Amino acid sequence: MDTTQILNEDIDSWETAMFLYNSALKEVGTKLDILNDEFVHIHKYNPIEYIKKRIKTPESIVKKLKRDNYEVTIENMVKYIKDIAGIRIVCSFTSDIYRLAEMIGKQNDLTVVSIKDYIKHPKASGYKSFHMQVSLPIFLSDRVVDTMVEIQIRTIAMDFWASLEHKLRYKKDIPADQAQQLQEELLACAAQSAQLDNRMQEIRNQLVSRADKGNQS
């Protein structure tokens, strides 16, 4: 079944699914805005630099189902693909990532389904990010539907590296020797990016420590 077929399988089911995923993104986005505003109100500090939202394209959904050897149906799409709705939170410092993840996890109308910490355990490519798969209820006029959203939290440096790595890695017709060299260069850049994050975190920790001592004196 190709992309056109999945869209035409049951257009009402497809539109309903996309409506639910878009609604879930709005719900999570609102929660993040409130958490960020509360943090600014209490701590006079903004942990979120920016937020990106996206829904997977039909082509991407079909490709992923086929890759995982599932029949291409809307039922399988909803059942097996957990990152159709995705929201990326970009922070200034690594400490912000874990603080936000903790705050999100404490939302009582949201369930954390799984966590993958690619910061403490980076992928072989050098990729770093903190992933949370969450489920939240979408209240319709006649029913409540639990809907999945993947949340990715990363620093500016991590996001910069991941964006460029994606563009470079998926260029076509790269010879094998150049592909190996590309992999080595990307790993080196990932290490440099991590060093930058660590140094900026250390500077921030020093500034916060000095401010706390100043307030106590």
Side-chain angles (χ1 to χ4, degrees):
M1 183 181 291
D2 61 16
T3 305
T4 302
Q5 286 175 299
I6 193 174
L7 291 175
N8 292 335
E9 176 193 346
D10 183 341
I11 193 65
D12 289 338
S13 295
W14 171 262
E15 290 181 347
T16 297
M18 292 302 104
F19 167 77
L20 289 169
Y21 287 123
N22 275 295
S23 299
L25 281 183
K26 290 179 183 178
E27 290 274 3
V28 175
T30 299
K31 289 178 180 297
L32 293 173
D33 287 340
I34 293 172
L35 288 174
N36 191 57
D37 289 347
E38 180 193 19
F39 207 88
V40 172
H41 173 68
I42 296 174
H43 302 286
K44 312 304 180 186
Y45 170 69
N46 181 0
I48 299 175
E49 290 290 333
Y50 54 89
I51 293 173
K52 297 179 181 178
K53 304 174 186 175
R54 67 103 181 97
I55 298 288
K56 271 187 178 297
T57 64
E59 292 80 9
S60 180
I61 291 170
V62 168
K63 183 178 179 181
K64 190 163 188 178
L65 284 171
K66 287 183 175 180
R67 186 193 68 192
D68 295 338
N69 296 316
Y70 293 118
E71 183 183 356
V72 179
T73 65
I74 293 174
E75 181 181 0
N76 284 345
M77 173 190 83
V78 174
K79 185 176 181 179
Y80 295 113
I81 303 183
K82 306 302 183 183
D83 62 343
I84 292 175
I87 188 163
R88 184 183 307 157
I89 309 167
V90 179
C91 306
S92 298
F93 303 98
T94 306
S95 59
D96 294 332
I97 294 174
Y98 292 102
R99 183 172 289 182
L100 277 169
E102 182 181 6
M103 292 164 67
I104 292 169
K106 288 180 177 179
Q107 298 289 298
N108 59 15
D109 58 347
L110 175 153
T111 301
V112 178
V113 177
S114 68
I115 288 175
K116 293 181 180 178
D117 190 343
Y118 295 117
I119 299 172
K120 293 180 180 177
H121 306 285
K123 291 186 177 182
S125 63
Y127 174 86
K128 285 189 170 186
S129 187
F130 189 92
H131 291 196
M132 304 174 72
Q133 288 183 347
V134 302
S135 176
L136 65 158
I138 301 300
F139 292 86
L140 305 179
S141 60
D142 59 346
R143 65 192 189 281
V144 178
V145 183
D146 289 332
T147 306
M148 295 286 294
V149 175
E150 181 182 72
I151 302 174
Q152 299 178 357
I153 318 175
R154 57 180 69 158
T155 63
I156 297 171
M158 293 174 194
D159 191 53
F160 174 74
W161 182 91
S163 297
L164 294 184
E165 187 265 354
H166 181 79
K167 292 178 181 178
L168 292 171
R169 185 172 296 280
Y170 290 94
K171 284 187 176 294
K172 297 179 180 179
D173 303 323
I174 300 177
D177 58 334
Q178 292 186 17
Q180 179 61 33
Q181 182 182 1
L182 174 63
Q183 175 64 34
E184 293 172 358
E185 291 284 355
L186 287 170
L187 279 171
C189 288
Q192 292 173 346
S193 176
Q195 289 174 0
L196 176 62
D197 268 338
N198 291 336
R199 290 182 66 182
M200 297 303 289
Q201 182 69 58
E202 288 173 3
I203 292 171
R204 180 177 184 272
N205 291 344
Q206 292 172 11
L207 292 174
V208 170
S209 177
R210 290 173 185 171
D212 289 343
K213 289 179 180 178
N215 292 333
Q216 292 173 3
S217 62

